[in-house]
Amino acid sequence: MKTVLITGASRGIGAAIARTFSSRGFHTVITCAHSEKALFALKAELEQGGGPCTAVVCDMSDYQAVERLFAQIPALDVLINNAGCSYYGLLSDMAPEDWMHIIDTNLNACFYTCKLAIPAMVQKKEGRILNISSVWGNAGASMEVAYSASKGGINAFTKALAKELAPSNIQVNALAPGLIDTAMNSHLTAEDLAALKAEIPADRCGTPEEIADLAWQVVHAPAYMTGQIISIDGGWT
């Protein structure tokens, strides 16, 4: 049985990805930093469906915590870096510690997990890494400069790491979702949400399940596909 680690899996896109992989025969390892109750509720749901699941409360921005997490994973076939957070506000009003929190959670965490996952993948000459980026990593968003910068960093990280690992038959790709119906967008007013939808040719938000379906497809794509930033945004960009 193959094992997938999905970070930030207590809700939204991460939870949808966990459900998809679990329902298709994977042992899922799921993490979150704060929503312990939701995480273990998801673990119970997945196990009720017949899929083995390991749930770990872990702050992915803390390297030592990530080391402890990997000590609990005997083997890893797929790594999905989904953990993330956002900040909405003017850059000039942003405190340095808020900036660092975004970078630590969204970008540094990818470094930590990849650093620890890569040696075993290289040893067996097989592995898949999928990073969850954002449309704002491609285009940038006003009032979300730190978030955009962290996701743009993920895009560059993905492309560079894919080149580094291609000789070892390890594929590294990223998804760049557009406006998805998740709690991360709860800061948007009804007016803001309507204005954004009006810009999207599909005229709606995407769903976490759509991202999960694409994640499955990318992880199981031909090995020659690597280093790609794949947009799923209803034609927005």
Side-chain angles (χ1 to χ4, degrees):
M1 177 178 288
K2 290 188 175 182
T3 299
V4 56
L5 168 61
I6 306 152
T7 68
S10 63
R11 61 183 183 176
I13 290 172
I17 292 173
R19 291 185 180 100
T20 295
F21 277 74
S22 179
S23 69
R24 297 174 185 179
F26 271 72
H27 169 210
T28 55
V29 181
I30 56 176
T31 77
C32 76
H34 306 293
S35 303
E36 182 175 352
K37 184 176 180 180
L39 185 73
F40 281 89
L42 178 61
K43 170 181 164 66
E45 175 191 331
L46 299 182
E47 290 178 335
Q48 188 173 17
C53 178
T54 302
V56 181
V57 176
C58 179
D59 180 356
M60 305 308 297
S61 69
D62 180 342
Y63 180 63
Q64 291 182 332
V66 179
E67 281 188 309
R68 291 192 294 271
L69 166 67
F70 270 80
Q72 301 178 55
I73 306 173
L76 189 63
D77 301 285
V78 179
L79 167 62
I80 300 181
N81 286 307
N82 174 71
C85 61
S86 62
Y87 176 95
Y88 189 77
L90 293 170
L91 183 69
S92 57
D93 293 337
M94 190 176 195
E97 54 268 28
D98 290 330
W99 171 275
M100 290 309 303
H101 178 63
I102 295 292
I103 299 302
D104 284 341
T105 304
N106 294 0
L107 182 56
N108 289 348
C110 285
F111 161 59
Y112 300 153
T113 56
C114 288
K115 172 181 170 59
L116 294 169
I118 285 169
M121 289 183 175
V122 168
Q123 186 174 18
K124 63 182 180 180
K125 295 289 185 180
E126 184 180 15
R128 301 282 172 129
I129 298 171
L130 181 64
N131 300 318
I132 305 301
S133 180
S134 167
V135 61
W136 299 139
N138 297 328
S142 174
M143 306 289 284
E144 295 189 72
V145 176
Y147 182 79
S148 300
S150 69
K151 294 300 187 178
I154 285 176
N155 290 352
F157 179 97
T158 298
K159 288 178 174 291
L161 187 61
K163 292 178 179 179
E164 189 171 309
L165 296 180
S168 298
N169 190 38
I170 301 165
Q171 291 74 49
V172 188
N173 293 291
L175 301 186
L179 185 64
I180 308 301
D181 186 13
T182 68
M184 187 174 283
N185 293 316
S186 61
H187 67 277
L188 296 171
T189 66
E191 292 76 14
D192 290 337
L193 197 58
L196 286 172
K197 287 181 181 179
E199 298 176 6
I200 301 170
D203 195 33
R204 66 174 176 87
C205 295
T207 68
E209 290 72 25
E210 288 175 309
I211 307 305
D213 284 345
L214 183 57
W216 176 267
Q217 292 175 52
V218 172
V219 165
H220 292 86
Y224 203 56
M225 191 181 88
T226 192
Q228 303 305 302
I229 314 300
I230 302 159
S231 294
I232 172 167
D233 60 13
W236 197 2
T237 60

